[in-house]
Amino acid sequence: MAQVTESGILEALKVVKDPDSGQDVVAAGMVSGLVIKDGNVAFALEVDPQRGPHLEPLRKEAEKTVHALDGVLSVSVVLTAEAQAQTPPPHQGHPGGQAVGRGNGQGMIPSLPGIKHVIAVASGKGGVGKSTVSANLALALAAEGLRVGMMDADIYGPSQPRMLGIHGQPQTKDGQTLEPMENYGIKVMSMGLLIPEDTPMIWRGPMVMSAIQQLLRDVNWGELDVLVVDMPPGTGDAQLTMAQQVPLAGAVIVSTPQDIALLDARKGLNMFRKVEVPVLGIIENMSYFSCPNCGHRTEVFSHGGANKEAERLGVDFLGEIPLDIEIRETSDGGHPIVVSKPDSDHAKVFRDIGARIWAKLEATSAKSMPKIVVQ
Ligand code: ADP
């Protein structure tokens, strides 16, 4: 099969003309964030926010043009508003002072018909165990008999393929959508499966969205009860854009006791509140140390902080997970504790948290259902 190259794609795109200026999209500098992986292509067309609505034919034309190239298996093109990607300035943390809402960007993914609930698992910073908790939580939900998907949106350090023991590469049946990979009964898709783990990538705003859209819209998720999204750590622009543009039913914040004290978890909370995504609650990870030999429990940090803080902030406390070598070894080794030791206390904690989250999701969607009036 022919090798798909960046220059080949840009050459082909020269026939795609911006209807307003008559200039081709490459010369006009509209193409950005081009990602090529084994014949799967994604890029963004940067457009003026006001012009977005009538440029759908341009987006489609660009997609069709690249798709016609030899060796191209799938193409995902998104329209990205430059102004949106640059506000606020990239060096500043978000949330800032200005009001932001959901669905005001060009790239909002309207709805995902087969997926009942999409939940984000987020953290104020990296290394708090967000991915470990996401993996175990997804498996805990599956243990409830639910149909579960895991979308690894942690594009800076995708770890779900490793944690969920996924090997190989996703395939496409129709050349348009990718089939998710599967293990332990859950469907998984990750940038880590599309881009080799050691490829250095600098993600800019539009690229992040094009990657996320590809993971969400161009994957054949089928029917799911819950899609768990392992978010990139932190609360910068990429996270904010994602929270705005992915139709989230709710968010779960993972934090460690010290992280709560340092306000990082609060930043995450505020970010979701600003974009009106319900926060389902906080999970305290590495809450206390449980001795692998004697089972003795040691409060390493000021344990219990998350519970108190959650109460103060008016969000639910979903549970606490100990710092335990078994949790680390099992998830890092591709056999998370919920599936490798389902009868352990730790697995039970994750299942309890999963059940609590599921109940909340069901309660929220029941509330938003139209009421039937019997006369
Ligand atoms: P994040 O996604 O927040 O960056 P990870 O889930 O990758 O964090 O976790 C970072 C490291 O900490 C991993 O090696 C993981 O196995 C370990 N870890 C996470 N949670 C626990 C825990 N409760 N007990 C022991 N190790 C943990």
Side-chain angles (χ1 to χ4, degrees), residues 9-84:
I9 290 169
L10 293 177
E11 192 54 41
L13 283 171
K14 284 186 182 161
V15 302
V16 180
K17 301 261 184 333
D18 179 342
D20 296 325
S21 69
Q23 221 182 357
D24 76 73
V25 291
V26 181
M30 291 164 76
V31 180
S32 77
L34 182 59
V35 181
I36 307 165
K37 170 68 185 159
D38 298 329
N40 302 299
V41 180
F43 60 90
L45 287 178
E46 292 187 18
V47 300
D48 194 299
Q50 284 86 37
R51 298 203 301 140
H54 81 270
L55 287 182
E56 174 59 17
L58 180 76
R59 189 193 70 78
K60 279 221 175 91
E61 194 192 336
E63 219 164 58
K64 219 170 103 193
T65 306
V66 175
H67 203 263
L69 294 176
D70 208 11
V72 172
L73 299 175
S74 75
V75 188
S76 172
V77 180
V78 292
L79 295 177
T80 318
E82 175 71 8
Q84 184 196 330

Side-chain angles (χ1 to χ4, degrees), residues 123 125-133 154 159 162-163 230 233 285-287 321-329 331-332 350:
S123 62
K125 62 166 197 221
V128 301
K130 173 185 54 59
S131 299
T132 309
V133 171
D154 189 346
S159 44
R162 178 171 44 86
M163 290 195 173
D230 182 2
N285 189 33
M286 311 192 197
S287 184
I321 297 153
L323 175 69
D324 190 305
I325 186 135
E326 231 175 10
I327 295 181
R328 193 188 70 71
E329 282 174 352
S331 32
D332 287 353
F350 280 113

